[in-house]
Each structure stands twice: as C-alpha cells, then as structure tokens.
C-alpha cells in the first residue's frame, strides 16, 4: 500500500464532471418524462458531432485513470479496472438521469456509452502503466524529490495549470473574487431587510498601476514555486522545479489566450509590466532557493495574502469581461465557467493548506 494523491485528484475530477454536466444548475423542472427513457432511444441519436464523441470519450478517461490508480496504489489490485469503470459509468448514468430535469441539457445514451468507454480506457491505461512499472518509477521519483507528506501540495501543484486556463484580467492573477462576491451577495439580499446590513464600500476600487501589475504577476508566479519549496528539500531540484513552473505558467497562459481570443493573440498579454513581473519572479525564486521548508511555507503565506489583497483592491476590467465571451472555442476548455471557478478558488485552497502546514509540528525535519 502506498500513500497516493490519486484519491483526492479523483474526487476533485468527479466534482468537476458534476459541475460540467449540470451547469448552470438553474431551471430545474419535471418535464413529464421518465428519467430513464433515453436508454431506449435508437443509436446513434439524430444530432451528434465528432466533437461530442471525442469530448465525451476523453472527458471521463482521467477519472478512470485516477480511480484505477488509486485502487492499485492502495493494494486493491483485483478488478481495479472494472471497479473504476463501474464507478465512472454509474456517475455518468446519474448525470444523464438528472439532465432530464434541466431544459438546457439533453440526456443521451450515446454520451453514456462514450463516458463508460472513456472511463474504462483510462482505467486500462493505469493498469498497463502499473504492470510495466511506470507507476513504481513515479513512486521512486516522488520519494527522491518530495517529502513523504507532500500529497496536498502535489494536488495543488497539479491543479495550478488548469486554474490558469481561464484567462485572468492580470496574468497569473488567480483569486480576484471580491467584486463579484459583493455583487452576488447584494443580488441575493435584494428586496430583503438584510440588504441594510451590508457594509458600504468607503473607497472606489482603483485599477492596478503598472507597478502593481508587476507585483501581482511576480507573486502569482512565485506562489506555486514556493509551494514546491515546502515539499522539496534539495536545492538543485528546487531550481529545476521553479524553472518548470515558469515555463508551464507562461505556456498555459499563452494557450489560454489563444483559445479565448484566437491564435493570433496568444502572446498579446505579454506586455512590458508582465515581462518584468516574470523576470522578477524568476529572480525571487532563485534568491529563495536556500530557504528551509518551514520558512518557505511562511514566505508563501505572506505572498498569498499580499497577492490576494492587491488583486481584490482592483476592479474587474469590463472590456476584458466582454471580450472574453466573443471567442466560442474557449468554452470547451473552460467547461462553461468551470475553469473560472478553479481559478477563483485555487489560491484560497493553497492558503488553507499553507496555514495548516505552518501551524502543525513538522514530523520530517
């Protein structure tokens, strides 16, 4: 049996599937149809595209992979592929049943078959990698690079590139939620006596200055590097990790821009303040290479709080928000806002993780 990050990653991915399947979670109503009637519909359905087939097949493959991997790494080797495939199929069946009550969603037996097949293929890939020894090699690699209690940090590190896929008003500026949260609370309390309880903002939100943008970019790139420093001891491996963070962060942000506004605008976000911020993050990552792990967690805590405070003192760019809705290709990558929620919540999950890590006694000095 091994400690594995596959269980929390599988749970997170299952939640993401539920979100993508039932969004926008509004308009629920009984339409006078039996929820299982779609199972008897002829195959293939009258309206389907190659994109639908590919997305439904690939969309469930990571779930099958993670479930089978989690079962295999915790000692449940007998039937791991089939148990993982069954779990993914039951989740897909539940989502199709619930979609009958959402007027904007259409349940489909083809989707169910493709989801089940995707889950099985993902689980089969995990079993093959386990048999070929690739998973054991990953365990050896993890043991050399990371401390034994690195599971939470590894989950956050794995989710960070996905959180960047939804374009942010400030590159690498995850967690800018205050203005939207205030608007949502105000809308929820409208026409109720509790609206008078809401505190009134005393100052108007001011846009970030170029210097503030540089600082936000630097902190946004430095945070995942420091997260790695919390669970990596060797200085050389920290340097490799920080380089990978910078390269992946820049590449994923360029991919996000290309999917949102078109390939011609893939590098349009890389203006002078952003370039300065990227180089400043690289310099700070080098300066902090020698920090002890507990000190890295303390600096990470300061960086996260500072980053979130700067971002949430600035308003959302209206032009940016309007432009974001004009490029339809990006909707698949974002799963109808799923990526945006991940980008909103990731820094707060990291903040909670580092608070717990700083406050507890280090069992592995």
């Amino acid at each position: 049996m091994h400690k594995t990050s596959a269980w929390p990653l599988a749970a997170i991915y299952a939640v993401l599937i539920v979100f993508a399947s039932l969004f926008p979670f509004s308009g629920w109503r009984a339409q006078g149809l039996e929820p299982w009637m779609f199972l008897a519909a002829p195959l293939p359905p009258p309206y389907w595209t190659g994109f639908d087939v590919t997305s439904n097949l690939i969309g469930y493959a990571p779930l099958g992979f993670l479930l089978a991997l989690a079962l295999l790494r915790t000692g449940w080797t007998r039937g791991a592929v089939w148990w993982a495939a069954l779990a993914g199929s039951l989740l897909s069946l539940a989502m199709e049943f619930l979609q009958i009550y959402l007027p904007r969603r259409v349940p489909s037996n083809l989707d169910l078959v493709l989801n089940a097949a995707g889950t099985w293929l993902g689980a089969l890939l995990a079993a093959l990698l386990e048999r070929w020894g690739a998973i054991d090699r990953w365990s050896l690699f993890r043991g050399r690079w990371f401390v034994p209690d690195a599971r939470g940090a590894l989950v956050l590190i794995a989710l960070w590139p996905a959180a960047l896929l939804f374009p942010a008003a400030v590159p690498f500026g995850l967690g800018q939620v205050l203005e939207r949260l205030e608007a949502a609370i105000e809308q929820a309390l409208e026409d109720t006596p509790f609206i008078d309880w809401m505190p009134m903002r005393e100052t108007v939100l001011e846009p970030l200055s170029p210097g503030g943008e540089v600082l936000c970019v630097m902190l946004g790139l430095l945070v995942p590097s420091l997260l790695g420093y919390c669970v990596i001891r060797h200085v050389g491996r920290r340097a490799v990790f920080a380089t990978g963070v910078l390269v992946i962060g820049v590449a994923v942000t360029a991919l996000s821009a290309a999917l949102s506004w078109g390939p011609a605008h893939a590098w349009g976000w890389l203006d002078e303040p952003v370039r300065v911020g990227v180089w400043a993050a690289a310099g700070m990552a080098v300066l902090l290479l020698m920090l002890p792990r507990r000190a890295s967690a303390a600096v990470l805590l300061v960086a996260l709080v500072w980053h979130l405070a700067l971002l949430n003192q600035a308003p959302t760019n209206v032009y940016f928000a309007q432009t974001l809705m004009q490029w339809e290709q990006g909707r698949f990558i974002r799963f109808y806002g799923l990526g945006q929620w991940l980008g909103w919540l990731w820094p707060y999950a990291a903040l909670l993780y580092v608070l717990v890590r700083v406050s507890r006694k280090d069992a592995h000095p």
Side-chain angles (χ1 to χ4, degrees):
M1 292 182 63
H2 301 266
K3 288 184 177 180
T4 175
S5 302
W7 281 122
L9 285 173
I12 291 171
Y13 198 82
V15 172
L16 299 184
I17 285 176
V18 172
F19 186 99
S21 301
L22 303 181
F23 186 86
F25 300 97
S26 62
W28 295 87
R29 67 172 183 235
Q31 304 184 65
L33 304 173
E34 299 293 343
W36 53 83
M37 65 173 298
F38 72 94
L39 294 172
L43 281 172
Y47 304 105
W48 63 277
T49 64
F51 176 82
D52 294 332
V53 172
T54 304
S55 59
N56 279 286
L57 188 65
I58 295 176
Y60 270 69
L63 178 65
F65 180 87
L66 292 169
L67 285 173
L69 181 61
L71 290 170
L72 290 167
R73 301 310 286 166
T74 50
W76 197 342
T77 56
R78 180 170 297 179
V81 171
W82 298 108
W83 282 113
L86 177 62
S89 302
L90 291 176
L91 177 62
S92 176
L93 182 63
M95 295 301 99
E96 299 298 330
F97 277 166
L98 290 174
Q99 283 180 357
I100 200 71
Y101 300 104
L102 287 169
R104 294 178 60 179
R105 309 308 295 263
V106 179
S108 167
N109 52 3
L110 179 61
D111 289 352
L112 176 61
V113 171
L114 292 170
N115 295 158
T119 309
W120 181 79
L121 288 173
L124 183 62
L125 177 61
L128 290 175
L129 291 176
E130 175 77 13
R131 178 167 294 183
W132 293 339
I135 305 302
D136 286 331
R137 284 192 287 274
W138 158 251
S139 295
L140 292 173
F141 170 83
R142 173 177 168 170
R144 288 195 303 268
W145 274 66
F146 303 101
V147 297
D149 60 340
R151 182 168 58 177
L154 290 176
V155 170
L156 289 167
I157 291 167
L159 291 174
W160 182 68
L164 292 177
L165 280 174
F166 191 94
V170 179
F172 315 109
L174 304 179
Q176 190 177 13
V177 298
L178 180 60
E179 190 177 14
R180 290 176 178 268
L181 184 61
E182 287 179 343
I185 294 175
E186 185 176 351
Q187 183 178 3
L189 297 180
E190 192 175 5
D191 299 327
T192 70
F194 302 105
I195 191 66
D196 296 328
W197 294 13
M198 277 198 68
M200 300 297 294
R201 181 183 297 279
E202 296 181 358
T203 59
V204 178
L205 293 176
E206 296 288 343
L208 285 171
S209 65
E213 187 176 353
V214 168
L215 192 54
C216 280
V217 170
M218 183 195 74
L219 292 171
L221 269 176
L222 188 61
V223 161
S225 297
L226 286 170
L227 188 59
Y229 292 2
C230 292
V231 292
I232 301 174
R233 296 192 188 97
H234 193 276
V235 173
R237 290 167 183 162
R238 284 184 174 187
V240 173
F241 176 81
T243 302
V245 165
L246 263 66
V247 171
I248 291 173
V250 170
V252 172
T253 303
L255 173 64
S256 171
L259 289 169
S260 298
W261 295 294
H265 301 282
W267 300 102
W269 56 275
L270 200 57
D271 55 15
E272 185 174 0
V274 175
R275 291 196 299 270
V276 174
V278 170
W279 284 110
M284 289 298 299
V286 172
L287 290 175
L288 298 174
L289 279 174
M290 301 293 292
L291 274 183
R293 291 193 297 114
R294 183 175 289 277
S296 298
V299 175
L300 172 57
L301 181 60
V302 174
L304 271 168
V305 173
W306 195 4
H307 183 57
L308 291 171
L310 282 172
L311 280 175
N312 286 288
Q313 288 174 7
T316 304
N317 189 310
V318 177
Y319 174 77
F320 170 83
Q322 291 176 346
T323 307
L324 194 60
M325 301 305 297
Q326 295 177 3
W327 188 256
E328 293 298 321
Q329 187 178 352
R331 293 180 66 128
F332 169 66
I333 272 295
R334 295 193 296 273
F335 283 104
Y336 294 92
L338 182 58
Q340 188 174 37
W341 275 95
L342 190 56
W344 283 342
L345 297 178
W346 188 91
Y348 299 98
L351 184 62
L352 179 61
Y353 170 81
V354 74
L355 280 171
V356 172
R357 193 170 190 91
V358 168
S359 63
R360 73 182 182 185
K361 182 178 180 180
D362 196 346
H364 303 279

